[in-house]
Amino acid sequence: MRRLLRNMWTNAGTARELVAFLRHQKQWWLIPMVVVLVGFGLFLVFASASGVGPFIYSLF
């Protein structure tokens, strides 16, 4: 498990740079905003790829 996480961390260059930037600039308040935006984006991608895509419009 540790090896898998280490491989994922080395392959995630953009995410690693973003976390390093936020840590260096002491901008911890941006982390929840980034997590919400990524989660919302993943929700839209997975929902549009499945059969529930037309029903998402009723949520908004």
Side-chain angles (χ1 to χ4, degrees), residues 9-31:
W9 183 251
T10 57
N11 291 334
T14 305
R16 185 177 60 219
E17 288 181 20
L18 179 64
V19 170
F21 172 76
L22 293 176
R23 186 182 325 161
H24 178 65
Q25 296 292 326
K26 306 278 193 261
Q27 306 248 334
W28 297 108
W29 57 274
L30 281 175
I31 292 175

Side-chain angles (χ1 to χ4, degrees), residues 34-55:
V34 170
V35 169
V36 167
L37 287 174
V38 168
F40 188 68
L42 289 173
F43 171 72
L44 289 177
V45 167
F46 288 129
S48 66
S50 67
V52 297
F55 300 108

